[in-house]
Amino acid sequence: MSKLLSGRARTYRPGFLARMFPSGKWKLTLDPKLSGRIGLSQGGDVDLSCLDIVSISTSKALLWHTVGIRARGRTDNLSGMSGDASEQLAADVHAFVNTHLFDLIGTETDHLLDVDARLREITEGSRQYLAQADLGRAIASVPGSVAAALSHPLLDPQLMPTGLKASLPASFRPGVPRHDVSRAWTGHH
């Protein structure tokens, strides 16, 4: 992930031998300048939106490892890597997606104050436990793309920059057990 923080584009390709096979003809580019998009060339060029990517996985085949990137409407399998290279690619794609999500959240933190107030009403007024559904409804009420970022399946609060954590309303800060919102948000019960 430190290479991603440098602000420079990073390109990934399969190993040399794998490029001789049809499944090894791909190139993936993580470029911070692409504004939330991942460049993929695999039988044609496509830009994958970070918001559309719903899972990243690795698997081992007979000769090499594969990284699977599942996005809404498509699945791309990038094979021809060593185990370490596939784990690094999966981690870098995950970090890249999260960096974009954090950027979206950071630009619209003021909208979260309304959600924080609604959540406080639920938990303080009736001493009711905050369920995942309550949190989901509150997040969905946030205008703009911050709702999509907060409900994204790959959002990892553990990767959130300290400055962004500090700017969030108390109930959205990971690790702050106020109203049990942070536990509901991170999925830890």
Side-chain angles (χ1 to χ4, degrees):
M1 186 165 149
S2 61
K3 293 174 185 171
L4 292 175
L5 297 177
S6 69
R8 299 176 69 186
R10 182 111 170 120
T11 300
Y12 301 82
R13 302 182 121 233
F16 177 74
L17 182 60
R19 290 183 213 162
M20 294 181 194
F21 295 93
S23 64
K25 298 193 182 307
W26 59 266
K27 178 174 77 170
L28 184 128
T29 304
L30 302 178
D31 186 350
K33 296 174 188 147
L34 286 178
S35 182
R37 301 205 166 279
I38 295 173
L40 177 62
S41 178
Q42 185 180 32
D45 293 338
V46 67
D47 284 337
L48 301 173
S49 169
C50 288
L51 288 175
D52 288 343
I53 296 173
V54 295
S55 75
I56 304 162
S57 62
T58 60
S59 61
K60 183 177 189 267
L62 183 60
L63 296 176
W64 41 65
H65 290 75
T66 298
V67 173
I69 299 174
R70 193 166 53 108
R72 292 180 179 97
R74 67 179 297 133
T75 299
D76 294 290
N77 292 308
L78 311 176
S79 64
M81 294 174 282
S82 68
D84 290 341
S86 67
E87 292 295 328
Q88 186 64 56
L89 175 57
D92 287 352
V93 170
H94 186 261
F96 188 83
V97 168
N98 271 275
T99 298
H100 179 65
L101 298 176
F102 299 146
D103 288 346
L104 292 175
I105 294 167
T107 60
E108 299 181 19
T109 55
D110 55 324
H111 294 301
L112 298 179
L113 294 174
D114 294 334
V115 175
D116 187 53
R118 288 185 199 130
L119 295 175
R120 286 179 192 268
E121 288 174 14
I122 293 170
T123 58
E124 289 175 358
S126 63
R127 297 198 176 274
Q128 177 182 340
Y129 172 76
L130 184 65
Q132 186 74 30
D134 297 324
L135 181 61
R137 279 191 298 275
I139 289 173
S141 71
V142 177
S145 55
V146 72
L150 286 170
S151 61
H152 196 279
L154 295 179
L155 179 67
D156 186 348
Q158 302 303 319
L159 296 177
M160 188 177 288
T162 306
L164 180 57
K165 283 181 190 178
S167 71
L168 294 176
S171 59
F172 279 92
R173 287 188 207 136
V176 178
R178 295 194 181 117
H179 321 303
D180 290 328
V181 173
S182 62
R183 287 180 26 204
W185 182 38
T186 60
H188 301 192
H189 298 285

